[in-house]
Amino acid sequence: MGGPVAGRSAPLRVDAQRNLEHVLRAAREVFGELGYGAPMEDVARRARVGVGTVYRRFPSKDVLVRRIAEEETARLTEQARAALGQEEEPWSALSRFLRTSVASGAGRLLPPQVLRVGVDEVPVDGDGDAARVPYQRGLGEQADARVVAPRAVPADERDDAGAAELLEVVGRLVERAREAGELRPDVTVADVLLVIATSAPALPDAAQQAAASARLLDILLEGLRSR
């Protein structure tokens, strides 16, 4: 009897894994479009599963948000490390990181704990220098009604080790470009993250969105360079 039971259980495991992948993909899309304040029902609808299925995988929305934010933090950190390791010129390294991050749509999923401005100061290098990190804001009453303001971020999430690592690596990119005289001396890690967040418009046409992102990034990069 053991064989038939095992045979029947295998498809369930496959289905469960498929549902998880659908939920994670849907969460990235929904949070990317609406912000981390979007309801779980929107995620379930996009994933084409019941909301109960989402809650079985993620017992609270905070758990799902944290999963998406941690994955995005790790991806951005790897992109920053790749730029550091593969580009000898400081400005080329920084601009490569920005272009890669914007092209991947990272700005729409930057973790809330690293998107804070004028609130916290976070050390980003060995000398103890700190940079104010911009906090993702809602777009206000003039924005589409479906845009949801981000939730409040608990202190333990702001101290997340993954976010600290991202800030440290991006801080090295910023410091190298500043020391080479290619970056404006007043530019901080906060400004770099703000460029990523600002350069990711959500437009219905993919080609138009890519073109708009590239053009906006060109303008913002020019503003970062020293004169």
Side-chain angles (χ1 to χ4, degrees):
M1 293 180 61
V5 172
R8 287 198 301 270
S9 64
L12 294 177
R13 291 196 296 269
V14 171
D15 289 346
Q17 179 62 31
R18 186 181 299 116
N19 282 342
L20 175 60
E21 292 170 358
H22 288 335
V23 168
L24 289 173
R25 181 167 59 251
R28 291 186 190 96
E29 293 175 358
V30 169
F31 293 148
E33 294 168 9
L34 307 178
Y36 282 121
M40 293 283 263
E41 288 77 8
D42 283 8
V43 174
R45 191 176 303 113
R46 184 72 60 92
R48 296 184 178 181
V49 299
V51 70
T53 298
V54 180
Y55 277 110
R56 277 194 295 273
R57 289 292 178 177
F58 302 96
S60 72
K61 194 178 100 173
D62 281 349
V63 174
L64 177 58
V65 165
R66 190 171 182 84
R67 169 73 176 265
I68 298 299
E70 286 177 349
E71 290 182 354
E72 193 62 29
T73 298
R75 184 157 67 110
L76 286 172
T77 301
E78 286 306 307
Q79 290 173 351
R81 289 193 188 283
L84 277 171
Q86 298 175 21
E87 296 287 347
E88 294 184 2
E89 295 296 325
W91 179 256
S92 296
L94 180 60
S95 60
R96 171 178 171 154
F97 168 65
L98 287 169
R99 291 187 188 282
T100 301
S101 300
V102 170
S104 69
R108 293 185 295 275
L109 283 170
L110 278 168
Q113 64 265 39
V114 301
L115 285 173
R116 301 181 66 83
V117 64
V119 177
D120 299 317
E121 290 192 349
V122 182
V124 296
D125 59 40
D127 297 328
D129 291 338
R132 294 186 181 277
V133 185
Y135 182 73
Q136 190 178 33
R137 303 281 182 190
L139 298 183
E141 295 180 355
Q142 296 180 349
D144 187 286
R146 294 293 296 144
V147 174
V148 183
R151 65 190 177 90
V153 182
D156 60 341
E157 291 190 20
R158 296 200 301 268
D159 294 336
D160 179 78
E165 184 179 11
L166 171 63
L167 295 175
E168 189 274 331
V169 178
V170 176
R172 287 159 58 192
L173 284 168
V174 169
E175 190 60 27
R176 284 181 59 195
R178 184 187 294 123
E179 290 178 350
E182 296 178 316
L183 185 68
R184 283 172 40 181
D186 62 324
V187 172
T188 66
V189 173
D191 299 317
V192 171
L193 295 177
L194 186 59
V195 166
I196 296 174
T198 305
S199 300
L203 301 176
D205 181 78
Q208 183 183 7
Q209 177 174 314
S213 293
R215 176 58 178 161
L216 181 56
L217 180 57
D218 285 339
I219 294 170
L220 293 173
L221 282 171
E222 187 62 26
L224 295 179
R225 298 202 73 160
S226 59
R227 294 291 185 263

